[in-house]
Amino acid sequence: MRTIDWIDDAVVIVDQTRLPGETVYLRLTTVEALVDAIQRLAVRGAPALGVAGAFGVALAARQYADPAALDKAVRLVAEARPTAVNLARGVHRAATRLPSFDNVLNEARKLRDEEITSSAEMARRGADLVLELCGPAPRLLTHCNAGGLATVVEGTALAVVFELHRRGALAGVIASETRPLLQGARLTAWELGRAGVPHRLAVDSAGPFLMARGEVDAVILGADRICANGDVVNKVGSYAHALGARAAGIPFICVAPETTVDPDTPSGDRVEIEDRGAAEVTGTTAPPGTAAVNPAFDVTPAALVTAIVTDTRIWRPSQAAAQPPVEPIKA
Ligand code: MRU
């Protein structure tokens, strides 16, 4: 199953808002429908957003002949969400092939295929690293969803988990539920269950305590943007897990393709963090009218990152960064 693809003249995605209850495929034939799907997280996760962005340019090329209208549509896709660098990057890569629809579509398909190859590379390299750092039968904790649903197939951090499981080398995984939209509870638990990986779900705030209690050998998660200095921007809650890992003395490993590494952003304080508004936080539980702050992502400083595994290398930013005391990121 591919999370996103181009089939019969449409972008076809698995609607992630319907999981785990129902597996529903959406056929998106216009830029506006794709942007809506991105903004309501029907398609999500950095590498999947990159592919969505590139296919979005193909939709735009087919929909708009007028150069100004085409340019506007392309920008609409690139700016649908601000934090994951893959989205704008996927758009810009495909847009270099405009105005030819065929050339744009070929470039988007190339990116899709490269992300599939990347997942396999990260799986192999990441599994070797986890075993080197943790020894046999590691117990891992992951946050948000960095599986096949966040890429095209297999994933980034979960690709490593699946590879360890295939090797018979994994004790189990704790998935943190990922408030407020519960990508861990809804999506990661679903993917781990389908693959037969032993797993348990925990509330986000339990992570650092479980690490302190010696129940986790490493934290492994994905990224939405990796800055030039090694700061890791990922789903809100990642920073708390990184602090917990440092306090417990266990590795904090980020797994992401090179398409998520952004040499043009020097550090995490330069990244626009999407705020998704109060309703996702207050839901129906808070008193009506309660104000809320809802950053969808946070920044883990390079000093807390043991290793970043990409499809081409292992990067150890904390070796170059200052060691404790660890400064929190300033807004
Ligand atoms: O808001 P989301 O669900 O798009 O956020 C996704 C994440 O933060 C993932 O951890 C990240 O994109 C890694 S993708 C392999």
Side-chain angles (χ1 to χ4, degrees):
M1 178 187 89
R2 286 181 178 177
T3 298
I4 178 164
D5 210 344
W6 181 279
I7 302 171
D8 295 338
D9 285 335
V11 181
V12 176
I13 61 164
V14 178
D15 184 347
Q16 300 191 37
T17 65
R18 308 281 288 269
L19 290 170
E22 300 173 289
T23 306
V24 175
Y25 291 88
L26 295 181
R27 277 178 56 80
L28 309 170
T29 55
T30 64
V31 165
E32 292 71 20
L34 178 72
V35 167
D36 175 64
I38 291 171
Q39 290 179 338
R40 59 187 188 82
L41 273 54
V43 57
R44 50 148 295 282
L49 287 176
V51 176
F55 282 145
V57 181
L59 291 176
R62 198 181 53 192
Q63 218 176 322
Y64 296 100
D66 170 56
L70 175 58
D71 189 55
K72 191 173 162 209
V74 167
R75 258 185 296 119
L76 205 66
V77 180
E79 293 168 7
R81 292 185 77 193
T83 305
V85 69
N86 300 61
L87 176 59
R89 194 176 257 178
V91 169
H92 292 140
R93 176 170 161 178
T96 60
R97 304 294 176 179
L98 284 169
S100 159
F101 166 78
D102 287 340
N103 290 350
V104 167
L105 184 57
N106 282 342
E107 195 63 38
R109 285 183 160 142
K110 231 166 102 186
L111 175 60
R112 173 204 63 196
D113 294 345
E114 286 168 16
E115 291 296 1
I116 293 172
T117 308
S118 285
S119 281
E121 285 296 320
M122 289 182 281
R124 186 184 52 73
R125 190 172 283 110
D128 290 346
L129 179 74
V130 168
L131 294 175
E132 178 195 317
L133 293 175
C134 303
R139 300 160 302 167
L140 303 177
L141 182 142
T142 192
H143 186 60
C144 193
N145 172 264
L149 291 169
T151 57
V152 182
V153 293
E154 289 279 302
T156 64
L158 282 199
V160 174
V161 165
F162 296 141
E163 173 64 13
L164 287 165
H165 181 61
R166 282 193 291 269
R167 293 185 192 181
L170 179 72
V173 180
I174 292 172
S176 69
E177 63 177 352
T178 317
R179 278 278 296 154
L181 295 182
L182 303 175
Q183 289 93 330
R186 293 188 302 107
L187 308 177
T188 298
W190 183 74
E191 288 199 52
L192 292 172
R194 277 164 56 99
V197 176
H199 64 282
R200 292 177 294 166
L201 190 64
V203 297
D204 298 339
S205 47
F209 176 63
L210 294 171
M211 296 176 215
R213 212 163 65 174
E215 295 183 32
V216 179
D217 298 310
V219 174
I220 188 161
L221 38 63
D224 290 86
R225 188 184 298 237
I226 296 168
C227 305
N229 70 342
D231 286 353
V232 169
V233 182
N234 192 48
K235 180 54 58 190
V236 69
S238 301
Y239 178 40
H241 290 322
L243 290 168
R246 170 57 60 88
I250 62 172
F252 181 89
I253 301 167
C254 172
V255 186
E258 289 290 337
T259 49
T260 301
V261 179
D262 180 12
D264 296 331
T265 300
S267 54
D269 54 348
R270 307 284 286 276
V271 177
E272 183 182 347
I273 302 291
E274 179 183 9
D275 188 303
R276 292 188 55 85
E280 289 179 357
V281 177
T282 57
T284 52
T285 46
T290 301
V293 57
N294 184 16
F297 303 93
D298 63 23
V299 180
T300 297
L304 292 178
V305 180
T306 310
I308 296 169
V309 178
T310 80
D311 42 313
T312 61
R313 61 185 163 140
I314 294 176
W315 174 17
R316 298 174 196 259
S318 56
Q319 286 183 357
Q323 291 298 305
V326 175
E327 297 290 340
I329 289 291
K330 291 173 194 68

